[in-house]
Amino acid sequence: MKKILVTGSLGQIGSELVMMLRDLYGASNVVASDIRETDSEVVKSGPFEIINVTDAKRLYDVAKENEVDTIIHLAALLSATAEKNPAFAWNLNMGGLVNALEAARELNCKFFTPSSIGAFGPSTPKDNTPQDTIQRPTTMYGVNKVAGELLCDYYYQKFGVDTRGVRFPGLISYVAPPGGGTTDYAVEIYYEAIQKGAYTSYIAQDTYMDMMYMPDALQAIVTLMEADASKLKHRNAFNITAMSFEPEQIAASIRKYIPNFSIVYDVDPVRQQIANSWPNFIDASAAKEEWGFKAEYDLDKMTEDMLAKLRVKLGACVALESNYAIVGS
Ligand SMILES: NC(=O)c1ccc[n+]([C@@H]2O[C@H](COP(=O)([O-])OP(=O)(O)OC[C@H]3O[C@@H](n4cnc5c(N)ncnc54)[C@H](O)[C@@H]3O)[C@@H](O)[C@H]2O)c1
């Protein structure tokens, strides 16, 4: 990767990925883009272009003008939002992906796009979910992700485009808010732990899902993109995960730093149904064997870092000390 175009760069992943890529490859070599513009660091610290990924010509033109050799395609509608407007999700998720793959084909670019644990469904084995297994998802997002995995395989086999990708679990981060996924509760809980000392979870107790802290997710993207192509047997849609937990376990982890933290439940049937259709924990051994995937953060290490970073971000230290006992950093 020498010159990289990132779509959907102002989202939860892009906001941090662009900054990491600019550190690694040089600010001018990472062209960020999104359908909207903000005054964020992503826009201010290097080239930024407005691209609506459903506009194939615009996407192609920006990639060509900037002579990029890599496209990282992040623009998509996430699981819970996609379920509210499935036809719109199909057009954005599939239309955007085909347009980005076409630009990569015509301009001979390497290509990365994330799939998700949402590519699995109720008939998938729930525990230690294999890399290659039954994929019959029951959500529009899942349908898009399975089709996207196949499309990326197709562009590699048919046209030789160097497509690569992972199935991300729920990603937890403090820089940009999550974009409407089923696992967003695991981000919100940290904000509300600091702001209110309590959280009402829309996901029920005993619902296990795979999760990962953002630094591990970003490192995974770079490691996979830089991996020796001859070692990759799967190329796209590698299972990766760092941890699996249910709401009581993340609450217990938070209590190590905020002892009075409490959790109650008001389950959202739509998101709970999506969560029920996903695995409890997936097997990441193919990613470990083929390109050396590893995760640095487990639940407690992530909790410590999230709370420390969020306290700074929210400027909540002083207010909190008067309301709750806080231990740790
Ligand atoms: N965040 C997670 O937990 C997670 C987990 C698994 C997979 N993924 C996948 O990673 C990718 C990025 O996810 P994210 O969490 O950063 O999403 P996000 O919702 O936070 O960000 C998506 C970005 O895309 C932009 N966008 C929307 N419509 C667009 C359009 N038509 N053209 C251009 N940009 C548009 C939005 O403005 C937003 O900045 C998606 O493919 C998602 O499915 C994310």
Side-chain angles (χ1 to χ4, degrees), residues 38-199:
T38 62
D39 62 355
S40 65
E41 278 305 298
V42 167
V43 175
K44 289 189 283 193
S45 65
F48 180 85
E49 300 279 352
I50 295 284
I51 298 179
N52 178 343
V53 293
T54 61
D55 181 346
K57 185 173 181 313
R58 173 77 183 145
L59 208 168
Y60 171 85
D61 286 347
V62 172
K64 188 171 167 58
E65 277 158 24
N66 286 280
E67 299 179 326
V68 301
D69 66 3
T70 304
I71 297 175
I72 296 185
H73 178 60
L74 300 178
L77 218 59
L78 270 64
S79 57
T81 321
E83 227 39 50
K84 287 184 192 142
N85 197 343
F88 181 74
W90 174 270
N91 288 335
L92 170 53
N93 292 353
M94 300 317 302
L97 179 58
V98 172
N99 292 342
L101 280 166
E102 274 297 294
R105 181 180 71 78
E106 290 185 58
L107 300 169
N108 200 20
C109 293
K110 280 175 94 156
F111 189 84
F112 175 90
T113 200
S115 184
S116 156
I117 52 170
F120 298 119
S123 52
T124 303
K126 274 196 149 345
D127 295 342
N128 213 22
T129 305
Q131 173 67 40
D132 302 308
T133 186
I134 301 163
Q135 290 183 266
R136 308 288 295 175
T138 47
T139 62
M140 177 49 86
Y141 181 69
V143 170
N144 296 165
K145 287 303 186 192
V146 175
E149 291 180 5
L150 293 172
L151 205 57
C152 289
D153 283 349
Y154 179 82
Y155 268 72
Y156 171 64
Q157 283 151 8
K158 178 91 176 174
F159 304 119
V161 179
D162 186 353
T163 54
R164 305 183 185 197
V166 296
R167 292 183 187 125
F168 275 134
L171 299 181
I172 294 160
S173 67
Y174 57 87
V175 174
T182 303
T183 53
D184 292 4
Y185 92 89
V187 178
E188 291 168 10
I189 195 169
Y190 288 111
Y191 278 81
E192 301 213 356
I194 290 186
Q195 290 170 321
K196 300 181 188 159
Y199 180 64

Side-chain angles (χ1 to χ4, degrees), residues 6 96 99 116-117 140 145 207 215 231 270 274 280:
V6 183
N99 292 342
S116 156
I117 52 170
M140 177 49 86
K145 287 303 186 192
T207 309
K231 301 234 164 68
V270 175
I274 298 175
N280 293 328

Side-chain angles (χ1 to χ4, degrees), residues 66 77 108 141 153 165 184 193 201 232 239 243-244 252 284 302 305 308:
N66 286 280
L77 218 59
N108 200 20
Y141 181 69
D153 283 349
D184 292 4
S201 175
L232 302 180
N239 281 3
M243 61 193 99
S244 167
M302 173 175 79
D305 199 60

Side-chain angles (χ1 to χ4, degrees), residues 311-322:
R311 275 180 195 138
V312 174
K313 178 176 176 176
L314 300 172
C317 276
V318 179
L320 255 176
E321 272 159 16
S322 58

